[in-house]
Amino acid sequence: MGSYFDLAYLIKSFPVILSYVDTTLIITLVAAVIGMAIGSLVAFIRINQIAVLDKISAVYISFFRGTPFLVQLFLAYFGLPELMQKLGYQGIRDIPPLFYVFIVFSLHFGAYGAEVIRSAILAVDKGQLEAAYSIGMSPVQAYGRIVLPQAFTMAISALCNIIISTLKGTALVFNVGVIDMMRKADLLGANSQRSLELYIDVAIIYILLVFIIGRLGAILEKKAAYFVPHE
């Protein structure tokens, strides 16, 4: 077993792979923050069926939910520079690959988040909104105090799943030149011929990150329940 699998190398290489986890976390965080904003905006547009924007939103959601992550990355990384050059912008080649990753991951998160947020808002009893209006609350106050706290609580679990999916999707970013844990494992494996140990390191780190996000989501869900109005 020693020639096939080297436990000592696995342990030795773990800190090296772990040192690249910041790229994974930054991509996930940026995608979650921007994607949540996009998702909320799209959900609002779809709920209120705002003319042309509603149709555009439906196409946007269908595209990002219906195409593979890797295809979206390639379209952005290879397609956007070509498009921008056709439009006369020549400096597009100087933009780092991470910029395209942020765009794709944020839009991807937003497409899935929009449906989650929309469903959560629609799940709140309309009678509560009407009651809020009847006592003189403005739409902003009614949504801010009554609807959104309940919708957010109902959506936490699903949003955490999207965050986890986004986190795992970062394993694809090395395909567009971003050096993350997977890319570092590839490079080290090419030199050491110990790819199995390195990929196990990567798997362990992802499992730990997913576990942490899952636990934080469960804690947040319990905490958020205190802010939901009770009858």
Side-chain angles (χ1 to χ4, degrees):
M1 185 175 179
S3 61
Y4 175 72
F5 183 83
D6 188 343
L7 180 61
Y9 183 76
L10 184 149
I11 296 172
K12 177 183 176 182
S13 61
F14 186 84
V16 179
I17 301 296
L18 185 62
S19 67
Y20 286 81
V21 75
D22 57 336
T23 302
T24 299
L25 294 177
I26 289 171
I27 294 170
T28 304
L29 178 61
V30 170
V33 172
I34 299 178
M36 199 81 74
I38 294 172
S40 299
L41 177 61
V42 173
F44 177 80
I45 291 171
R46 301 219 67 196
I47 289 173
N48 292 278
Q49 297 181 333
I50 302 176
V52 180
L53 293 179
D54 183 42
K55 301 297 183 183
I56 295 174
S57 298
V59 172
Y60 155 65
I61 291 173
S62 296
F63 174 78
F64 279 94
R65 287 167 63 96
T67 55
F69 226 141
L70 192 58
V71 171
Q72 296 165 18
L73 274 174
F74 283 169
L75 283 174
Y77 185 69
F78 296 108
L80 278 180
E82 293 294 333
L83 176 62
M84 296 303 291
Q85 283 187 330
K86 293 284 195 238
L87 295 175
Y89 183 72
Q90 301 301 320
I92 192 71
R93 295 295 181 184
D94 298 327
I95 296 178
L98 197 57
F99 173 77
Y100 301 101
V101 170
F102 285 154
I103 291 177
V104 172
F105 274 68
S106 298
L107 290 173
H108 188 95
F109 190 106
Y112 280 87
E115 292 297 278
V116 169
I117 296 169
R118 182 174 72 92
S119 298
I121 291 175
L122 293 176
V124 177
D125 185 5
K126 291 183 178 180
Q128 297 186 41
L129 188 61
E130 293 171 357
Y133 290 151
S134 69
I135 62 174
M137 282 190 182
S138 67
V140 173
Q141 290 175 322
Y143 272 90
R145 296 181 183 180
I146 306 298
V147 177
L148 292 182
Q150 296 180 75
F152 176 69
T153 300
M154 288 186 285
I156 288 176
S157 179
L159 289 173
C160 280
N161 287 335
I162 299 175
I163 292 174
I164 288 172
S165 177
T166 302
L167 173 76
K168 292 188 290 186
T170 60
L172 297 172
V173 301
F174 76 93
N175 287 285
V176 293
V178 175
I179 299 180
D180 67 329
M181 295 188 295
M182 280 294 294
R183 181 55 177 162
K184 189 60 179 178
D186 273 346
L187 294 173
L188 291 175
N191 293 326
S192 66
Q193 301 300 310
R194 289 288 179 184
S195 294
L196 176 61
E197 291 87 341
L198 294 162
Y199 289 139
I200 291 176
D201 283 335
V202 173
I204 291 172
I205 294 171
Y206 273 113
I207 290 171
L208 290 174
L209 291 175
V210 169
F211 175 78
I212 291 171
I213 292 173
R215 292 302 303 159
L216 289 176
I219 294 171
L220 182 59
E221 195 169 8
K222 290 181 179 179
K223 295 291 185 182
Y226 292 108
F227 297 96
V228 176
H230 298 283
E231 295 182 359

